[in-house]
Amino acid sequence: MTTQALLRLAWRESRTARRRLALYMSSIAFGVAALVAIDSFAGNVTRSIREQSRTLLGGDMALTARATFPAVVDTLVDSLRAQQIPAARVTTFASMALAEPSGGTRLVQVRAVSPGYPFYGAIETEPANGWSRVHDDSVVFVDPSLLIALEANVGDVLKLGQQTFRIGGTLGNVPGDAGITSVIGPRVYVSDRWLEKMGLLKFGSRAEYEMVLRLPPNQATPQGAAQVAKALRRRIDPVEAARLEAQEASGEAERSGPGGEGDDPERDTVRVLPAATTDSTSPDSASGAKAATTAVAPQSIAPPRTRVRVRTVADTERDFTEAVARLADFLSIIGLIALLLGGIGVASGVNAFVSAKIDTVAVLRCLGATSRQVLALYVVQAGAMGLVGATAGAALGVAIQFLLPQVMGEFLPVDVAIMLEPRPLLLGLATGVWVSLVFALRPLLALRRVSPLQAIRRNADPAALPSEWKDPARLVVDALLIGSIVAIVMSRIESVRDGLAMTGGIVGVVAILWLAATALIAVARRTTRPSWPFPLRQGISNLHRPANQTRAVTLALGFGAFLLSTVYLVQANLLGRVQTTADAAAGNLLLFDVQDDQAAPLDSMLRVRQHPIVQQTPIVTMRIEAINGVSVTKMQADTSVRRAGWVLRREYRSTYRQEMQASEKLITGSWFPDSSQRREARAANPDLPYLLSLETGLAGDMGVTIGDTIVWNVQGVPVTTVLANTREVNWGRFEANFFAVFEPAALRRAPQQYVIVANVPAGQPLAAMQRDVVRRYPNVSSLDLTLVKQTIGAIIDRVTLAIRFLGLFSLAMGVPVLFSAVAATRRARLREGVLLRTLGASRAQVARVLLAEYGALGALGALTGMVLSFGGAWAITRFVFDDPFDPAVGPTLLIAAGMLLLTMTIGLLTSRDVYRETPMMAIREPG
């Protein structure tokens, strides 16, 4: 038979089964739609980032630091300006904003910008021409949400520190800022000419400094910018620049530090000396006693350095693109599972299709068709229908990608222009067709074993067709099926380990659902009793009858319930964690950036109003100078020792105290002894190192154990310590937690600031306290911890909205699979219905039989999926979010009940002809 004849025969033979084949293949559509939508949207975002990368950075290059730029950088920028390379500055810090006349206060993110910023893009405001006045008048531009929070209007007075401004308008689109940042803290943009008059940046204040450069056209290319960046690093700090270049050449990637306390960027970081240093602080004044200097002498220690990071447009583009790629890979897991589940639906439907085509195949064999030609005939049909299903899914995916910006737009720092992306479209089509074929091929292999004799001696049990597990073709198809799943998963997840884990998880879930369905069949076969009511007995017996769809329905329903329940359980745990940590907080008002001379007056303000202070914590800034006698510089140059680089480069904000607090748990060593014992020991040995406690993760990254010595650079003064213990810290609690805690004698007299936690009644007393504090001490920032809880909840809600949007696929993809599984046995059900009606069963009885069957199927699938979701949610919560898992059993049972109701509804709707039509109409049903 020629290829043309084969295609013509396949077209003619499919006329009686096209609708059924299209239904089977529609199971693929939702999986393809998810993959096309996610990949296309990621492609659009990546392209938008590439086109707007200069707008994201605000220039061609940026220098950033977490302290005032030292003189060497200022001098360098001045020389660049003389070469027609202009620079603009941005200073970002948190502060309290006080609105008049309402008296409302709010913690805000202040961005003080210099003229010319940004060099690319524009800051949009309402009114549209408002931004042109920012450097001429005392005006600020704020997020619209701040006006609502402060009950203020455009034109009202807003006080920042010691300077008052008029609200000139509200912010619209700001280059490089994602809308979600306004949830964390409303933004306030102001001219940097007012920085000094605001008086907010004092000792210990945390701020980020950025200098944006615009390069000449001949240097603005990626290669030119990279050369300029390399030259800048070499001029700022040749030693550090050489180390970074060597690290980049060797391809080494350093581990980033844990969250909390403000980790420092790893890439393109250089360190420079401050513009000016003083020796006015003696070792005794910083440490409370003469510091031991066994590793570094007081005269040889350098003041703390300021790290400066050099970034180019290419760096910014790469960072954002990698983040988008990771997000797309994560979200596409849902689409991948949808696609594989669709393959299960195809296999189930084609299996029933094969059973219905045995007579036709036997006739073809009698007419001379070979087994290979018969197989090719139906493979062509399956491939064509797979193409139809994949095409429909691709079209749906293209439509969905236009909705994704509405769901995820607030998380993106760029305006996404939606365009058709050919590669994701073609890849989705190819993947959908391949999955359709590979899942359909296994049941189609049975057609090779249909002999011409079956045209006159048909086996009444299609499931009894020969099935040889030693058949090489079957083994090849099985290997192809498993290999395809692994290949698809690995193509979505770059990490081999994560890909194998994902594959194992999918196989594990499928295996458990399959075993549960097999167990149900066995139980149904053995437990049916004649004493049961007829509809129940007959419905349960249908679970193990020939051509049953128990496994297919259980897989489809179980996977849907598994995904929906897992998404809900993870969300519930995140929100519950926020609620628990907020409730566990000792107070509800947090005051920070409190200077040394402001702590006592603030204490008095709170006590006069009878607001108890529950925590007053000193904070001292410092860096590591040496570990076990080896300087940081030598350790960074030594590649033979595995040590996380971030621990050596970061600035630590540490504290001192005699007791542990509730958020800490001792892991190794012992806590500090009584202070009187330490005084006696220090009197006997003045050079005795001070005792130190480290967070256990930091100690591991630092490579130190109990008894090791660490020399700290406390604003130019060496303080030698010995590690006495390690602690496990609960960073989720709304309290002041620290990586490093010193015994009090080490830092008592060091320059410091304070964090104060108080318990103030919510409502008017809390608002009044915040208002009075900001009026008296403008530099002190206050935070309502209840507001923090609401803010985190709002962020989680927005993230959950995006996940739920994609999680709907887990429900939607199960619907066509369920329809496919039920419709696959429509012919057998019609015959069964005819027999029951002929024997005297009423329509209501036949309906109750179906209800019992689908009730059992729905209960098994939903409950199995729910149990599996507890395991999946536990794994995500434990290993991704590193939180304890608290199962929300009640709501998960509601999800399972909803899936059960869905199964019963689909079963009754799809099988309505079985109990509604007359026996004669059912007998004439062409099938």
Side-chain angles (χ1 to χ4, degrees):
M1 185 183 299
T2 65
T3 302
Q4 184 176 3
L6 179 66
L7 294 175
R8 185 166 57 250
L9 180 60
W11 171 256
R12 291 177 178 175
E13 205 281 331
S14 67
R15 284 180 295 184
T16 60
R18 289 172 191 166
R19 290 177 58 188
R20 263 182 289 157
L21 280 174
L23 176 62
Y24 305 154
M25 298 304 171
S26 67
S27 305
I28 292 293
F30 283 98
V32 173
L35 294 180
V36 169
I38 293 166
D39 287 351
S40 297
F41 185 67
N44 281 313
V45 173
T46 301
R47 176 178 42 78
S48 299
I49 289 173
R50 186 169 57 252
E51 295 172 351
Q52 303 173 44
S53 54
R54 282 185 170 82
T55 302
L56 286 171
L57 192 60
D60 297 301
M61 186 176 298
L63 282 67
T64 58
R66 299 200 174 176
T68 306
F69 284 113
V72 63
V73 174
D74 291 332
T75 302
L76 183 58
V77 171
D78 289 340
S79 66
L80 293 174
R81 190 177 290 111
Q83 302 173 32
Q84 305 303 312
I85 300 180
R89 296 175 181 257
V90 181
T91 305
T92 304
F93 56 93
S95 178
M96 295 299 295
L98 172 64
E100 300 289 359
S102 68
T105 60
R106 182 73 159 86
L107 184 68
V108 298
Q109 303 175 65
V110 180
R111 285 174 170 80
V113 301
S114 66
Y117 179 85
F119 291 120
Y120 300 99
I123 298 176
E124 298 177 3
T125 62
E126 180 62 38
N129 61 348
W131 184 253
S132 61
R133 301 186 295 123
V134 71
H135 297 294
D136 300 324
D137 302 332
S138 56
V139 296
V140 294
F141 294 87
V142 304
D143 274 322
S145 61
L146 183 61
L147 297 182
I148 299 174
L150 298 181
E151 299 180 355
N153 298 296
V154 174
D156 285 353
V157 173
L158 189 74
K159 187 175 182 182
L160 294 173
Q162 298 175 358
Q163 182 66 32
T164 58
F165 300 89
R166 288 283 176 184
I167 300 177
T170 57
L171 293 166
N173 182 54
V174 178
D177 267 359
I180 193 69
T181 58
S182 63
V183 177
I184 301 172
R187 300 164 297 178
V188 175
Y189 275 72
V190 64
S191 173
D192 68 349
R193 60 179 286 204
W194 304 106
L195 270 176
E196 186 175 347
K197 292 185 178 180
M198 283 189 283
L200 291 171
L201 298 182
K202 297 186 177 182
F203 169 78
S205 298
R206 304 206 72 177
E208 293 185 1
Y209 299 84
E210 183 175 26
M211 194 176 299
V212 180
L213 307 177
R214 185 177 65 190
L215 301 177
N218 63 327
Q219 293 181 321
T221 62
Q223 296 81 6
Q227 291 299 321
V228 174
K230 184 178 293 186
L232 286 177
R233 297 185 195 108
R234 288 175 176 174
R235 290 182 62 182
I236 292 172
D237 191 332
V239 176
E240 184 71 6
R243 188 187 69 84
L244 287 172
E245 291 173 14
Q247 178 182 320
E248 185 175 350
S250 64
E252 291 183 1
E254 297 188 30
R255 293 178 294 164
S256 60
E261 288 194 319
D263 299 328
D264 297 303
E266 293 290 320
R267 186 176 179 83
D268 299 336
T269 302
V270 294
R271 299 183 297 175
V272 298
L273 290 173
T277 61
T278 63
D279 296 323
S280 58
T281 305
S282 66
D284 290 71
S285 64
S287 61
K290 184 178 180 180
T293 56
T294 55
V296 181
Q299 295 79 8
S300 65
I301 195 167
R305 296 181 176 186
T306 299
R307 294 182 302 280
V308 178
R309 186 187 185 197
V310 182
R311 290 184 299 133
T312 64
V313 169
D315 295 328
T316 302
E317 180 182 330
R318 180 180 56 252
D319 292 343
F320 278 108
T321 301
E322 289 176 354
V324 170
R326 287 193 297 269
L327 177 63
D329 289 344
F330 170 73
L331 295 178
S332 65
I333 296 301
I334 294 178
L336 175 62
I337 294 176
L339 191 64
L340 296 178
L341 182 56
I344 294 172
V346 168
S348 173
V350 172
N351 186 60
F353 172 76
V354 167
S355 299
K357 287 295 181 180
I358 291 177
D359 291 339
T360 303
V361 172
V363 171
L364 289 174
R365 294 297 309 279
C366 289
L367 295 176
T370 66
S371 60
R372 292 186 178 181
Q373 289 174 332
V374 169
L375 180 61
L377 172 69
Y378 290 103
V379 167
V380 168
Q381 290 185 3
M385 291 300 101
L387 179 61
V388 171
T391 302
L396 179 60
V398 170
I400 290 173
Q401 75 162 328
F402 285 90
L403 299 177
L404 287 176
Q406 307 298 322
V407 179
M408 305 182 66
E410 289 187 333
F411 299 94
L412 302 173
V414 293
D415 295 325
V416 181
I418 299 298
M419 297 175 58
L420 287 179
E421 295 284 341
R423 186 176 181 277
L425 196 62
L426 295 176
L427 188 60
L429 279 171
T431 305
V433 172
W434 177 253
V435 169
S436 300
L437 276 175
V438 78
F439 275 89
L441 194 56
R442 195 176 192 280
L444 285 175
L445 286 178
L447 294 176
R448 297 176 306 132
R449 303 186 178 280
V450 177
S451 67
L453 188 62
Q454 286 183 273
I456 57 177
R457 200 166 64 190
R458 169 69 188 273
N459 192 330
D461 185 1
L465 290 174
S467 174
E468 297 182 5
W469 288 98
K470 296 183 179 180
D471 184 359
R474 185 182 295 277
L475 295 177
V476 169
V477 170
D478 289 344
L480 191 63
L481 180 61
I482 297 173
S484 298
I485 295 175
V486 174
I488 293 174
V489 172
M490 297 299 290
S491 68
R492 311 301 305 186
I493 303 176
E494 295 182 358
S495 169
V496 175
R497 185 186 64 180
D498 294 343
L500 292 176
M502 179 68 188
T503 304
I506 293 175
V507 172
V509 171
V510 171
I512 292 174
L513 290 171
W514 187 273
L515 290 174
T518 303
L520 178 64
I521 292 173
V523 170
R525 182 179 289 114
R526 291 174 173 78
T527 59
T528 306
R529 296 290 182 267
S531 59
W532 291 4
F534 167 72
L536 177 62
R537 184 174 70 251
Q538 187 65 27
I540 298 300
S541 298
N542 284 346
L543 297 176
H544 62 82
R545 62 171 172 74
N548 69 80
Q549 72 273 30
T550 301
R551 293 183 178 88
V553 173
T554 301
L555 285 173
L557 180 64
F559 241 119
F562 167 71
L563 288 179
L564 280 178
S565 300
T566 300
V567 170
Y568 176 83
L569 286 169
V570 172
Q571 175 209 3
N573 269 269
L574 291 177
L575 292 176
R577 183 66 171 164
V578 172
Q579 180 68 45
T580 301
T581 54
D583 292 343
N588 64 337
L589 177 62
L590 178 68
L591 303 170
F592 54 97
D593 285 344
V594 179
Q595 300 300 305
D596 200 355
D597 59 346
Q598 296 172 337
L602 271 175
D603 182 281
S604 300
M605 283 183 64
L606 290 164
R607 296 188 186 281
V608 165
R609 304 186 188 196
Q610 298 183 347
H611 302 326
I613 295 177
V614 295
Q615 192 177 46
Q616 181 169 314
T617 306
I619 296 177
V620 181
T621 59
M622 62 187 68
R623 295 188 188 279
I624 296 176
E625 188 66 26
I627 298 178
N628 290 329
V630 182
S631 68
V632 167
T633 304
K634 290 183 179 179
M635 283 187 288
Q636 289 177 332
D638 185 5
T639 59
S640 63
V641 179
R642 300 299 300 175
R643 181 181 281 111
W646 71 273
V647 303
L648 304 177
R649 295 198 301 270
R650 68 167 290 133
E651 178 182 79
Y652 292 85
R653 296 164 65 86
S654 306
T655 192
Y656 60 87
R657 49 180 152 82
Q658 189 64 41
E659 303 84 12
M660 293 183 66
Q661 57 188 31
S663 60
E664 299 171 330
K665 178 183 177 182
L666 197 64
I667 301 299
T668 60
S670 57
W671 192 248
F672 307 147
D674 185 80
S675 57
S676 60
Q677 298 178 22
R678 291 295 296 169
R679 282 195 299 268
E680 293 174 0
R682 186 161 296 280
N685 182 9
D687 292 332
L688 188 68
Y690 296 100
L691 298 182
L692 171 70
S693 174
L694 291 180
E695 188 266 340
T696 182
L698 175 67
D701 285 347
M702 196 179 291
V704 295
T705 58
I706 302 301
D708 287 349
T709 59
I710 304 171
V711 178
W712 300 84
N713 185 335
V714 183
Q715 295 147 51
V717 176
V719 176
T720 302
T721 60
V722 60
L723 184 60
N725 61 75
T726 61
R727 297 162 292 119
E728 182 180 275
V729 180
N730 180 4
W731 299 104
R733 289 175 65 106
F734 293 155
E735 296 176 2
N737 292 309
F738 299 88
F739 282 130
V741 176
F742 293 71
E743 65 170 315
L747 302 176
R748 184 178 289 118
R749 296 175 59 187
Q752 58 197 261
Q753 58 177 210
Y754 290 86
V755 170
I756 298 175
V757 180
N759 200 350
V760 182
Q764 181 59 32
L766 181 59
M769 190 69 212
Q770 287 183 292
R771 181 185 63 244
D772 294 344
V773 168
V774 75
R775 282 177 172 167
R776 185 170 177 181
Y777 304 108
N779 66 289
V780 175
S781 298
S782 63
L783 191 59
D784 181 359
L785 295 181
T786 304
L787 182 62
V788 173
K789 180 185 70 175
Q790 295 171 353
T791 300
I792 296 175
I795 294 173
I796 293 176
D797 283 343
R798 297 190 186 192
V799 174
T800 303
L801 176 63
I803 296 176
R804 279 178 175 172
F805 179 79
L806 293 170
L808 288 177
F809 280 106
S810 63
L811 175 62
M813 69 186 177
V815 174
V817 176
L818 286 172
F819 270 108
S820 176
V822 174
T825 56
R826 182 172 179 271
R827 183 176 181 180
R829 288 182 174 281
L830 283 172
R831 291 177 176 175
E832 178 184 320
V834 169
L835 179 60
L836 292 176
R837 294 291 304 280
T838 303
L839 294 175
S842 65
R843 292 182 180 180
Q845 286 178 314
V846 176
R848 286 197 291 271
V849 168
L850 295 173
L851 196 64
E853 178 183 357
Y854 287 108
L857 287 172
L860 175 69
L863 291 176
T864 306
M866 182 188 72
V867 172
L868 288 172
S869 71
F870 286 126
W874 170 82
I876 294 174
T877 305
R878 176 66 182 85
F879 297 108
V880 176
F881 297 103
D882 197 22
D883 276 339
F885 176 63
D886 183 18
V889 178
T892 311
L893 284 173
L894 290 179
I895 294 177
M899 298 297 286
L900 169 61
L901 182 61
L902 176 67
T903 305
M904 296 171 68
T905 302
I906 290 177
L908 291 177
L909 288 176
T910 309
S911 305
R912 61 186 182 276
D913 289 348
V914 175
Y915 58 87
R916 290 179 58 182
E917 300 293 348
T918 63
M920 185 60 67
M921 293 291 293
I923 291 173
R924 293 177 177 176
E925 171 65 38

